[in-house]
Amino acid sequence: MLRTHADVLVIGAGVAGSAAAMHLAELGAGSVVVVDPDLAGIRSSSERNAGGVRATWWQRVNIELCAASIAFLRAHGSEVGFRPLGYLWLYGPQLWDRAAGHVALQRALGQEIELLAPAELGDSWPEIDRLDGIAGATFSPMDGLVNANAVKELYRRRARAAGARFLDRRLVVGVERDGARARGVRLRALGDEAQALASLAGVPVEGEPEFIECGQLVNAAGPWAASVAELIGTPVPCRAVRRQVSTFRCRDVDLSRYGMIVDTTGCYFHHEGGDLILAGYSPVGDPSGYRFDYDGRAFFESEIWPRLAARMSGMDRLQYEGGWAGLYELSPDNSALVGRVQGSANVYEVHSFSGRGVMQSYAAGRALAELMVHGRFDTIDASALAGARFAAGTLQLEELHI
Ligand SMILES: Cc1cc2nc3c(=O)[nH]c(=O)nc-3n(C[C@H](O)[C@H](O)[C@H](O)COP(=O)(O)OP(=O)(O)OC[C@H]3O[C@@H](n4cnc5c(N)ncnc54)[C@H](O)[C@@H]3O)c2cc1C
């Protein structure tokens, strides 16, 4: 059996694991190794998201992590395809007062937010001509859209340049502990992509056994973080839920000068590139588990189209193109877990971003690396995201969740 050593072993090479590896290597954590059954990330959330980045959250820690990450993405705009086109969010009467009530905190933390009455929408978004159910709107011009794959590749390039290694076709299947310390992980070296994808759908797979001894261990396994936490021996109350998005063409509406638009119904959409528009919606009751089947035209026709047509007359006629399903990694309060795993001396976690992983990845990775290398948060305080909060009752609840 192949045996090797890493000062830091990161499980999972999505945006979270790649960002953590970059910061760890750049902060001098020693030898950093990242393992993943599929570095291409075919089933990872980092390849299946909508690419929106915004800082208009309700909890201070989420605003701060997003703001710091967006500042980085903006500074590397040409590399990550950052489109600083803002977020327009339309609210119904049930949420409007509460959403407007959080604007003071967002502004105090440096965010520009405009509050809009329904009648004002036509000045800048004339396509939104069906105003039923809109009580108010916010526009946050500092937010935007990115190419999440390019973000991940940027992190990986920098991580590699600082000495980190990424090992493909490696599935973690066990964690060896000495009391509160993780000694290392047992892996299976997988043969091909089919095996890797099957393993991520929960199918047991064979492969050459390997062991990597480690000084510190990071769970960055995204929607699979709960399974990895079980292997570590410290379960987390997180779960994976299927989310679907569709793409389509619309001859009568050009959204290319706008960023993300979120309807009162929770349906979100933006210009995807070329003549395509992307739209997503999260029906109540989407199944938990590792499901990647996309419901196709039926999803588009029942969940997307009626909501868009109810908002814009130009969307009465659409041409369906396609779509896909990916996984949200939900925690009980819809906020990520970042920090040292409770009860462990050398195990850390950065996962369960609950649909916010791209927009928080840079800052969450930085905060974790500071904690692991320096023993404290130096530039970004992510202490509110410690997993211990669920037992302590200090939840970081995000209700505006799409
Ligand atoms: C439809 C959809 C739309 C979204 N829209 C947005 C958006 O607009 N903006 C935004 O910020 N976020 C969005 N998200 C969420 C975002 O994509 C995720 O929060 C983010 O990608 C999580 O990154 P991650 O690295 O934690 O997880 P992942 O990218 O899933 O990476 C986890 C990795 O762990 C690996 N792994 C799993 N098990 C093991 C194991 N046993 N051993 C080794 N490796 C393992 C997997 O192979 C995978 O590569 C969206 C998600 C979806 C599904």
Side-chain angles (χ1 to χ4, degrees):
M1 180 169 71
L2 187 72
R3 299 180 77 89
T4 176
H5 172 86
D7 291 324
V8 182
L9 182 73
V10 180
I11 303 173
V15 279
S18 299
M22 172 183 79
H23 288 296
L24 284 160
E26 291 182 350
L27 285 182
S31 56
V32 177
V33 172
V34 189
V35 291
D36 199 301
D38 181 35
L39 278 188
I42 292 171
R43 289 212 148 128
S44 74
S45 302
S46 300
E47 289 292 315
R48 289 168 176 258
N49 59 77
V53 296
R54 68 176 173 108
T56 51
W57 298 96
W58 291 10
Q59 298 294 337
R60 170 183 286 266
V61 67
N62 287 328
I63 299 170
E64 289 178 340
L65 289 184
C66 285
S69 299
I70 293 170
F72 171 84
L73 297 170
R74 183 183 293 271
H76 294 79
S78 58
E79 287 165 273
V80 300
F82 184 64
R83 287 184 275 162
L85 294 170
Y87 258 65
L88 175 69
W89 200 298
L90 311 177
Y91 297 93
Q94 283 181 331
L95 273 176
W96 173 233
D97 286 348
R98 297 177 61 216
H102 287 86
V103 168
L105 175 64
Q106 294 158 2
R107 284 182 176 152
L109 295 175
Q111 299 305 301
E112 292 171 27
I113 321 274
E114 294 169 33
L115 299 180
L116 299 160
E120 292 173 294
L121 286 167
D123 298 341
S124 301
W125 294 271
E127 296 83 359
I128 299 176
D129 57 358
R130 291 174 171 162
L131 304 179
D132 281 2
I134 303 178
T138 56
F139 178 60
S140 45
M142 297 165 79
D143 298 336
L145 300 164
V146 293
N147 175 339
N149 178 273
V151 174
K152 186 178 72 180
E153 288 306 324
L154 171 61
Y155 296 152
R156 288 185 182 176
R157 268 199 312 281
R158 278 182 47 167
R160 287 188 171 110
R165 287 193 302 144
F166 288 77
L167 304 184
D168 201 6
R169 302 279 175 257
R170 301 301 201 287
L171 177 74
V172 171
V173 294
V175 176
E176 307 257 320
R177 299 179 63 140
D178 281 334
R181 292 191 71 77
R183 206 164 53 77
V185 301
R186 283 182 279 114
L187 303 105
R188 290 276 177 274
L190 306 179
D192 55 23
E193 182 184 286
Q195 241 192 343
L197 300 189
S199 76
L200 293 170
V203 178
V205 292
E206 297 297 321
E208 281 300 307
E210 292 182 358
F211 184 79
I212 303 183
E213 185 190 65
C214 61
Q216 291 177 307
L217 182 62
V218 179
N219 179 358
W224 296 269
S227 317
V228 168
E230 291 283 344
L231 299 177
I232 294 168
T234 50
V236 291
C238 303
R239 64 196 173 97
V241 180
R242 182 181 66 159
R243 291 286 185 252
Q244 303 183 71
V245 295
S246 299
T247 55
F248 58 92
R249 294 185 174 78
C250 179
R251 211 179 45 192
D252 301 326
V253 176
D254 175 12
L255 296 179
S256 61
R257 62 188 187 283
Y258 308 133
M260 189 79 85
I261 300 177
V262 186
D263 183 44
T264 52
T265 59
C267 182
Y268 59 88
F269 52 99
H270 66 75
H271 176 245
E272 174 70 349
D275 59 353
L276 280 187
I277 297 172
L278 176 151
Y281 180 71
S282 310
V284 177
D286 250 0
S288 292
Y290 301 115
R291 278 191 54 183
F292 302 93
D293 52 314
Y294 167 59
D295 291 340
R297 184 182 286 274
F299 172 75
F300 174 73
E301 289 184 353
S302 63
E303 306 292 0
I304 301 288
W305 188 9
R307 291 181 168 83
L308 297 180
R311 191 53 69 215
M312 286 174 272
S313 58
M315 295 263 188
D316 283 344
R317 282 179 306 164
L318 303 179
Q319 185 192 345
Y320 174 70
E321 168 67 21
W324 62 85
L327 298 176
Y328 260 32
E329 2 69 307
L330 294 178
S331 78
D333 59 3
N334 295 328
S335 289
L337 280 72
V338 181
R340 188 162 58 78
V341 170
Q342 203 182 16
S344 280
N346 64 341
V347 184
Y348 295 80
E349 60 191 344
V350 56
H351 60 76
S352 300
F353 286 89
S354 307
R356 204 180 301 115
V358 179
M359 61 183 94
Q360 290 196 323
S361 53
Y362 175 84
R366 173 78 197 189
L368 187 79
E370 289 175 356
L371 185 67
M372 292 176 66
V373 177
H374 300 150
R376 60 178 187 273
F377 296 116
D378 287 326
T379 59
I380 295 167
D381 182 2
S383 52
L385 296 180
R389 71 181 184 273
F390 300 116
T394 51
L395 299 187
Q396 299 295 311
L397 189 61
E398 288 293 353
E399 291 177 56
L400 256 198
H401 198 247
I402 54 173

